[in-house]
Amino acid sequence: MGHYTEIPLGWALVPLGDVCIPVNKLGSDGFPGARFRYIDIGSVSGSDQQITSADWVESKSAPGRARQIVQAGDTVYSTVRPYLRKIAYVPEQLSGHIASTGFAVIRPHVEINSRYLFYVVQSALFEKQLLPKQRGVSYPAVRDADVFETHIPIPPAAEQQRIVEALDDHLSRLNAATEAVTRAQRRIRPFVGALLDRIALGASSATHLDRDADSASQRLLIGLSSKRFDYASLPPLPEGWLWRRSSDVCEFINSGSTPKAHLMHAGSGDVPFLKVYNITQDGQVDFTNKPTYVDHETHENQLKRSRVRPGDVLTNIVGPPLGKTAVVPDQHPEWNINQAIVAFRAGPEVLPEWLALVLRSPVILDMLRKTAKATAGQFNIALSTCRELPLPIPPIDVQLDLVVQSAGLLEFSDRFAAQVTPISLRAKNLRQAVLRLAFEGGLVPQAPTDEPASVLLERIRGERKAQNGKTKRTTRRPGKTVATADAAPPAATAAPTTAIQQELPL
């Protein structure tokens, strides 16, 4: 509760559960004889808090976690990795359908504005209370009880409505501005990717493409076996180019490791320790982003397999996203990497810059990503797969020419990406600033004539007391509101009526 400043007159500060009602869950026998739309954690966008997909599922093939019946006006709040903000408002089109038990389903009492609760659980003030309760390391999570025990401010009902109207207006403008930047980024990425593919496969070269299936470009891979890649179906390359296995042209391919937490130091130290978030989507190492160091003793004695040096090419093999690639800069003579990153050290046949360019090309990235194994929403690529990856290798002089030719394109793309990142960060900060202002009583005026929240809450308590002081969660099969096998898929979710497509100065 200490995260909130003094709340305005007429407001109250209560646990979220005090203003919510229980949600019915399916029994162990599931939902026989019908189909439904299923909202899982992957259905929700953490960037704009919307349900972006909800596929139709037959009951006989429904996941075991498909157990919670949602209604329009509910808020689904992911309890797995809650810092990813997988939070969404359930629209009319999904009312009566099913959500994963990976969500806490927040259903407001009839006297509480449902959109108000949707916004309040997105605020940093809510997160600061909840996130310290996470359990687990690989997949940190909170319990439903942790969510409902978190305190929220409750203003008078009339003021809740005024706050929601103001937030709908302000945040729709902010979302429109952010989406405009994202659209521009989406448009440039395919263009850059297509050009990188042309460069990586020699299609931009004036050299003749050798389309003979038995040409020298494939011959070096004949006789080599791979469980992950079909070497025989690789696309043709220009004369003088060769498909080579990465382990045959690299001196070193290895992933790193992570020392015990007390051996890593944030902000300063002897040898920098790179993590996945230090590799940017635009192919750079950004060590200003939460820099971590280890001392010389740890570097020498415990991190022998983790050492990399300037010129090594790094790619992350744990994600999403997978395949962020960058060349280690010369800011420091030695670096370390963790186990989610693999380092390629180029041999005499390949330039580090060419290796990095090829690993950034969609055609090679797709080969690598298709081998990934998924576990609980996390994707992993095996180190052995990286060693078998086929790479197009032209003569050194051609590599150098193509690296120089691509430099201008990549510089433009990288410069644009560098602008997008701070804009997105400013948008997130502005969003949180607006939410904080709203829930500290500064976004809309208070009205002395509004019924105080204490009166509203007393009515809710009285109703619960009449129901023996608590609401039991019941287990039953869903009623007729759940879609049947003959039901037509509902229409797409309508846009908010208050949305204004207008760019804001960020």
Side-chain angles (χ1 to χ4, degrees):
M1 292 189 291
H3 295 291
Y4 291 92
T5 59
E6 184 177 347
I7 60 173
L9 189 66
W11 288 38
L13 197 59
V14 298
L16 173 62
D18 282 10
V19 294
C20 293
I21 59 178
V23 174
N24 290 330
K25 292 188 178 181
L26 293 167
S28 58
D29 54 349
F31 180 49
R35 63 175 186 165
F36 51 83
R37 293 184 74 175
Y38 178 49
I39 308 165
D40 64 6
I41 294 174
S43 303
V44 176
S45 167
S47 59
D48 56 9
Q49 284 69 53
Q50 291 188 15
I51 298 172
T52 56
S53 64
D55 295 335
W56 285 92
V57 173
E58 300 292 337
S59 66
K60 61 184 178 182
S61 58
R65 302 192 77 174
R67 286 286 179 269
Q68 302 198 90
I69 308 167
V70 296
Q71 295 178 3
D74 289 349
T75 291
V76 290
Y77 190 105
S78 174
T79 54
V80 180
R81 292 196 179 106
Y83 53 85
L84 295 179
R85 294 176 179 165
K86 298 276 190 157
I87 307 165
Y89 188 78
V90 177
E92 289 285 349
Q93 290 86 347
L94 294 177
S95 188
H97 291 270
I98 310 297
S100 166
T101 53
F103 292 110
V105 178
I106 299 168
R107 180 168 299 163
H109 186 275
V110 67
E111 299 220 38
I112 301 296
N113 189 298
S114 62
R115 294 284 294 177
Y116 179 84
L117 289 194
F118 168 61
Y119 282 128
V120 80
V121 298
Q122 295 178 48
S123 71
L125 297 169
F126 187 86
E127 287 183 346
K128 285 178 181 177
Q129 299 175 71
L130 182 62
L131 296 189
K133 298 178 181 179
Q134 292 178 100
R135 299 162 181 83
V137 177
S138 298
Y139 307 103
V142 294
R143 302 171 304 170
D144 282 16
D146 296 326
V147 176
F148 290 107
E149 289 168 1
T150 303
H151 283 72
I152 62 169
I154 297 295
E159 190 171 349
Q160 290 177 39
Q161 181 61 32
R162 294 197 297 273
I163 289 172
V164 165
E165 290 173 355
L167 287 175
D168 281 345
D169 181 36
H170 290 306
L171 297 184
S172 68
R173 294 170 185 263
L174 183 58
N175 290 342
T178 306
E179 177 58 25
V181 175
T182 304
R183 279 198 307 270
Q185 190 177 35
R186 281 199 299 261
R187 288 171 182 168
I188 198 171
R189 279 180 178 170
F191 170 74
V192 173
L195 215 46
L196 283 174
D197 276 352
R198 288 180 57 81
I199 293 168
L201 297 180
S204 63
S205 171
T207 310
H208 171 65
L209 280 176
D210 187 345
R211 299 188 181 278
D212 182 356
D214 294 324
S215 69
S217 66
Q218 279 82 20
R219 195 169 296 139
L220 284 177
L221 290 176
I222 292 174
L224 298 178
S225 62
S226 172
K227 295 180 180 178
R228 289 97 171 174
F229 305 104
D230 183 4
Y231 291 154
S233 64
L234 294 169
L237 296 174
E239 292 179 6
W241 291 48
L242 301 171
W243 280 107
R244 302 295 304 279
R245 192 167 57 179
S246 59
S247 58
D248 293 333
V249 294
C250 292
E251 296 179 355
F252 170 95
I253 302 176
N254 215 350
S255 60
S257 60
T258 300
K260 294 181 179 179
H262 72 277
L263 297 175
M264 295 187 290
H265 314 288
S268 63
D270 299 327
V271 182
F273 187 90
L274 292 171
K275 301 182 181 181
V276 172
Y277 55 70
N278 296 125
I279 305 175
T280 68
Q281 290 280 14
D282 55 320
Q284 303 293 323
V285 169
D286 178 12
F287 201 58
T288 63
N289 182 18
K290 296 186 283 187
T292 304
Y293 293 82
V294 295
D295 57 35
H296 282 301
E297 183 179 355
T298 301
H299 173 71
E300 292 292 337
N301 299 328
Q302 298 192 30
L303 296 174
K304 292 182 179 180
R305 63 172 290 173
S306 301
R307 301 178 194 174
V308 294
R309 65 191 188 197
D312 289 346
V313 180
L314 308 180
T315 295
N316 73 296
I317 55 174
V318 177
L322 292 167
K324 296 193 296 179
T325 299
V327 178
V328 177
D330 58 5
Q331 294 171 249
H332 298 271
E334 289 188 294
W335 303 69
N336 291 288
I337 57 174
N338 71 5
Q339 66 272 19
I341 301 172
V342 64
F344 297 81
R345 183 167 298 161
E349 299 178 58
V350 59
L351 298 172
E353 295 80 7
W354 175 256
L355 183 56
L357 187 149
V358 166
L359 288 172
R360 286 183 68 182
S361 69
V363 67
I364 303 299
L365 266 179
D366 285 347
M367 287 186 199
L368 198 56
R369 288 171 176 165
K370 285 176 181 177
T371 69
K373 305 295 183 183
T375 306
Q378 181 170 284
F379 296 88
N380 300 269
I381 297 171
L383 179 60
S384 57
T385 299
C386 297
R387 291 173 174 156
E388 295 178 8
L389 180 67
L391 301 172
I393 307 296
I396 285 286
D397 59 333
V398 176
Q399 292 179 40
L400 182 58
D401 288 345
L402 291 175
V403 166
V404 171
Q405 290 176 29
S406 65
L409 164 70
L410 294 177
E411 182 182 357
F412 169 76
S413 173
D414 295 348
R415 188 166 61 248
F416 181 80
Q419 293 172 347
V420 169
T421 300
I423 288 173
S424 299
L425 181 60
R426 289 178 66 187
K428 289 179 181 177
N429 291 339
L430 183 55
R431 182 183 183 88
Q432 283 301 323
V434 172
L435 290 172
R436 184 178 189 107
L437 189 66
F439 303 126
E440 290 186 343
L443 187 62
V444 299
Q446 279 78 52
T449 55
D450 286 345
E451 178 188 74
S454 58
V455 178
L456 180 157
L457 293 170
E458 192 58 39
R459 280 201 301 273
I460 294 175
R461 292 188 192 104
E463 178 183 310
R464 287 183 172 171
K465 187 175 181 180
Q467 298 173 352
N468 299 321
K470 65 177 182 179
T471 303
K472 295 182 180 179
R473 291 181 179 265
T474 60
T475 300
R476 65 174 181 84
R477 295 178 182 176
K480 295 180 180 180
T481 56
V482 178
T484 66
D486 297 325
T493 303
T497 56
T498 54
I500 300 175
Q501 299 300 315
Q502 175 178 334
E503 294 191 27
L504 291 178
L506 298 179

